[in-house]
Amino acid sequence: MPFDATQLKDFQIAELAEKNMPTAAVWQERLGLEKDEIIPYGRICKLDFMKIMERLKDRPDGKYINVTAITPTPLGEGKTTTTIGLVEGLGKRGMNVGAAIRQPSGGPTMNIKGTAAGGGNALAIPMTEFSLGLTGDINDIMNAHNLCMVALNARMQHERNYDDAELAKRNLRRLDIDPTNVEMGWVIDFCAQGLRKIIMGIGGRMDGYMMESKFGIAVSSELMAILAVATDLKDLRERIGKIIVAYDKKGQPVTTSDLEVAGAMTAFMRNAINPTLMSTVEYQPVLVHAGPFANIAIGQSSIIADRIALKMFDYNVTESGFAADIGFEKFWNVKCRFSGLTPNVSVITATIRALKMHGGGPKVVPGRPLPEEYRKENLELLEKGIPNLSHHIATVKKAGINPVVCINAFHTDTREEIAMVRRYAEQAGARCALSEHWLKGGEGALELADAVIDACADRVDFKHLYSLEMPLRQRVDIIAREVYGADGASWTTEAEAKARRFESDPAYADFATMMVKTHLSLSHDPNIKGVPKGWLLPVRDVLVFAGAKFLCPMTGSISLMPGTGSDPAYRRIDVDVNTGKVLGLF
């Protein structure tokens, strides 16, 4: 029987479910793993993916299911909840199924949005470990990233303090780093807006090199993006060595290899290549690996997690960050291109409240009660917002995939509202299923599970939106038109000059195009809802992630360091001092 999600908080459901959570030994037997393929970490474990992949290399892949969404409210529309619920529903149908989801950042967990464990009876456990660092991958990324910054600043200090002869005695060559052209900053896994811009090295000649610097949130680090796309430890090491940290005074890149820090960074990251094995509250397996910023990096669970899950399970459900214009577009044109994997179906998560917002409903503000329009039937608002759903259905179909729309049910949704969404989704050429996984777990997701099983039997004519031979500016233009619905793209003089330089350099020919855009609108402006028409996508810069092999066109205003709101989650999180249990996570 499912837990009473209307009376119990998520952390309370997790606590009850964790009493019977499978141990590492139970997972080993259930999943047919060898003893040395399990790496225990307290109540959970990592999987040695290289050993498992070698043993299962000849096993056919299972069905590959992507979960995306419509353009969300700032509250999120439940992609992880839908992912977990679908796994539970497929489990109820007797399928060998698992999930691959992303690791949550401490920033949102301690801020307004909360953790990314799902919710209600569609929850990943153990919730405390999941929400508070898990098996240390983000900590490894922070250490590796910040070690690089230590190496950079120390090198700049020594080059200032010593002449070339003295540097040569220390077996160092002058890198001549330009302090006004440093790409990297520091990272911390919290939303610390006060660290967005800093001055470091204040003091004397022994206190570092004084310069302007910055902090980003840990999951925005290029190392997290590399973890998401790396295929093995060798690939990870090679990519880390290519990270551009800064530029010298002639404009040439200075890499981690130039700073001789890439090997030590990889040493911190050596364990992070193995996915962590967790569980749904109904005890299906969930792999957790990577968690990069979806609106600046790839925003997917890792290629490694998907590769191992497709060998271990007959159905692998993986999620993409934010809506189909961001997460699915990067899954479609970047992740699947890098991995060589072909999806069978994409599930578009939709909520009545988000569609009402796109129909002109009042502003949704995290931490404040939902306006009445979202809590009572309003078919007029809903119908006006339906085009946003139809747009995302069309985007998924352009990839050659038949989508399934999941109406993620809320108790305030009415029968008439649900019927309207179903009617329009089917008119747009998608299967549609109502799912009550939050309330009922797998039993509430049976309609969704059946629709996905049915869709997996369809022939897939999967094709990328553009070829790698297409120049960068042309790629951006086609994404703007075909995915965002713009009339094209406009470029600042500086951004266009950068793009021309990248287009003319063969070294960047196979770099992925990783769009940087707000997740709260199809456009670059988070305040524009629905399906805007008659606009151009403004590109103001192009970032380079040379290790991940990303070129990132920047649109709108995106910060790598979110801010903490006035009513953050940490106000309600505590520890029961008698039991040591963490309270208040959501």
Side-chain angles (χ1 to χ4, degrees):
M1 290 292 291
F3 300 102
D4 187 350
T6 64
Q7 298 298 317
L8 297 172
K9 303 287 188 182
D10 286 349
F11 75 90
Q12 294 171 320
I13 291 174
E15 182 182 330
L16 291 170
E18 286 162 19
K19 291 178 181 178
N20 298 309
M21 184 175 66
T23 63
V26 171
W27 280 127
Q28 181 187 332
E29 182 177 353
R30 273 186 56 184
L31 300 179
L33 299 170
E34 302 293 334
K35 187 174 182 180
D36 64 349
E37 293 171 349
I38 291 269
I39 308 167
Y41 276 76
R43 295 196 295 172
I44 49 181
C45 59
K46 278 181 172 284
L47 299 182
D48 191 317
F49 107 94
M50 293 179 71
K51 290 179 180 176
I52 295 173
M53 285 303 299
E54 176 61 26
R55 181 171 59 82
L56 301 181
K57 62 184 178 182
D58 296 326
R59 180 180 292 182
D61 286 350
K63 301 294 186 181
Y64 194 22
I65 303 157
N66 171 259
V67 176
T68 184
I70 63 170
T71 307
T73 69
L75 306 176
E77 305 318 304
K79 282 190 310 301
T80 305
T81 310
T82 297
T83 298
I84 300 298
L86 174 56
V87 169
E88 292 172 341
L90 288 167
K92 288 286 186 184
R93 289 298 191 218
M95 301 300 173
N96 172 25
V97 59
I101 65 174
R102 296 169 294 156
Q103 182 180 352
S105 165
T109 297
M110 291 295 165
N111 199 4
I112 293 172
K113 193 172 181 181
T115 187
N121 285 288
L123 189 68
I125 57 173
M127 190 178 179
T128 297
E129 284 89 335
F130 182 68
S131 307
L132 301 178
L134 202 59
T135 48
D137 291 358
I138 292 179
N139 190 63
D140 292 340
I141 285 165
M142 285 194 291
N143 283 334
H145 182 114
N146 289 335
L147 177 64
C148 180
M149 285 301 294
V150 168
L152 173 73
N153 194 253
R155 185 61 166 263
M156 294 173 74
Q157 174 190 342
H158 298 321
E159 290 190 13
R160 177 195 61 194
N161 291 353
Y162 303 134
D163 61 20
D164 287 353
E166 195 64 30
L167 288 172
K169 290 179 183 178
R170 291 162 169 80
N171 198 26
L172 297 173
R173 64 181 177 89
R174 186 170 296 278
L175 297 177
D176 207 22
I177 297 158
D178 182 352
T180 68
N181 200 359
V182 175
E183 284 283 336
M184 283 183 70
W186 306 80
V187 294
I188 185 173
D189 199 33
F190 295 116
C191 300
Q193 59 267 46
L195 296 176
R196 285 174 182 157
K197 293 182 180 293
I198 64 168
I199 300 295
M200 59 179 293
I202 299 173
R205 294 178 68 82
M206 303 306 293
D207 296 316
Y209 188 96
M210 185 172 171
M211 65 180 191
E212 183 177 320
S213 190
K214 59 192 176 184
F215 270 82
I217 195 166
V219 292
S220 71
S221 169
E222 182 175 354
L223 287 167
M224 180 62 92
I226 287 173
L227 183 63
V229 300
T231 54
D232 54 31
L233 187 58
K234 181 175 182 289
D235 186 35
L236 184 79
R237 173 63 179 86
E238 290 175 354
R239 289 176 179 274
I240 288 175
K242 294 176 181 176
I243 294 173
I244 296 173
V245 184
Y247 294 87
D248 66 20
K249 291 174 183 174
K250 294 181 179 179
Q252 297 302 306
V254 177
T255 68
T256 52
S257 294
D258 293 323
L259 291 167
E260 300 178 282
V261 71
M265 292 168 69
T266 308
F268 271 116
M269 295 280 290
R270 72 196 188 283
N271 292 321
I273 66 162
N274 292 313
T276 300
L277 176 61
M278 290 183 47
S279 175
T280 73
V281 293
E282 295 185 0
Y283 311 126
Q284 290 90 8
V286 177
L287 301 186
V288 182
H289 203 218
F293 239 26
N295 51 7
I296 191 165
I298 196 166
Q300 317 285 327
S301 52
S302 72
I303 288 173
I304 282 174
D306 280 350
R307 286 181 62 210
I308 192 173
L310 287 167
K311 294 298 183 186
M312 292 171 59
F313 312 129
D314 295 334
Y315 290 84
N316 170 41
V317 186
T318 193
E319 66 174 341
S320 298
F322 299 135
D325 59 313
I326 298 181
F328 177 79
E329 188 275 313
K330 294 174 180 181
F331 174 81
W332 167 23
N333 292 305
V334 181
K335 185 180 181 182
C336 290
R337 196 191 304 266
F338 278 16
S339 70
L341 300 172
T342 299
N344 295 90
V345 63
S346 184
V347 175
I348 303 173
T349 307
T351 61
I352 302 293
R353 73 180 182 193
L355 292 171
K356 288 179 178 177
M357 178 192 70
H358 289 296
K363 188 173 183 179
V364 176
V365 180
R368 297 183 190 173
L370 274 177
E372 185 177 89
E373 287 86 345
Y374 300 110
R375 293 180 281 113
K376 291 187 176 181
E377 183 175 288
N378 191 320
L379 295 175
E380 182 181 0
L381 270 186
L382 178 61
E383 189 165 27
K384 288 179 179 177
I386 291 288
N388 186 269
L389 171 61
S390 301
H391 183 94
H392 289 299
I393 292 172
T395 296
V396 171
K397 292 181 74 174
K398 286 174 183 177
I401 300 170
N402 291 325
V404 172
V405 171
C406 169
I407 303 173
N408 184 18
F410 285 59
H411 72 279
T412 51
D413 300 341
T414 69
R415 186 178 304 172
E416 289 75 14
E417 289 174 332
I418 291 165
M420 177 179 284
V421 175
R422 190 187 297 274
R423 183 171 69 254
Y424 277 107
E426 291 173 349
Q427 285 177 7
R431 292 176 174 85
C432 186
L434 176 68
S435 191
E436 296 180 286
H437 42 264
W438 181 87
L439 183 66
K440 301 177 182 178
E443 287 291 340
L446 292 178
E447 183 182 337
L448 174 61
D450 291 342
V452 167
I453 292 169
D454 191 40
C456 282
D458 287 351
R459 178 180 176 274
V460 173
D461 184 23
F462 186 69
K463 53 189 178 295
H464 299 297
L465 183 63
Y466 53 82
S467 70
L468 287 181
E469 288 71 37
M470 185 179 287
L472 174 63
R473 284 170 296 163
Q474 193 175 339
R475 294 187 201 179
V476 172
D477 188 77
I478 197 171
I479 292 170
R481 292 175 185 275
E482 297 295 328
V483 179
Y484 307 157
D487 291 340
S490 63
W491 296 73
T492 64
T493 302
E494 296 82 1
E496 186 162 22
K498 272 191 176 182
R500 288 181 185 275
R501 190 167 71 249
F502 292 133
E503 289 170 355
S504 64
D505 189 338
Y508 299 102
D510 62 345
F511 275 41
T513 301
M514 193 62 62
M515 299 299 297
V516 181
K517 184 181 78 68
T518 179
H519 63 291
L520 295 173
S521 171
L522 283 168
S523 76
H524 60 286
D525 184 344
N527 296 309
I528 301 176
K529 306 302 182 184
V531 183
K533 301 293 184 184
W535 60 283
L536 292 173
L537 181 73
V539 183
R540 59 182 177 84
D541 198 3
V542 183
L543 301 181
V544 185
F545 283 10
K549 300 184 77 171
F550 297 166
L551 292 178
C552 306
M554 299 278 290
T555 73
S557 179
I558 301 290
S559 173
L560 300 188
M561 174 56 80
T564 292
S566 60
D567 188 25
Y570 63 68
R571 296 179 66 189
R572 290 168 290 281
I573 295 172
D574 209 332
V575 175
D576 184 328
V577 297
N578 296 312
T579 64
K581 293 175 181 175
V582 176
L583 312 174
L585 289 168
F586 75 100

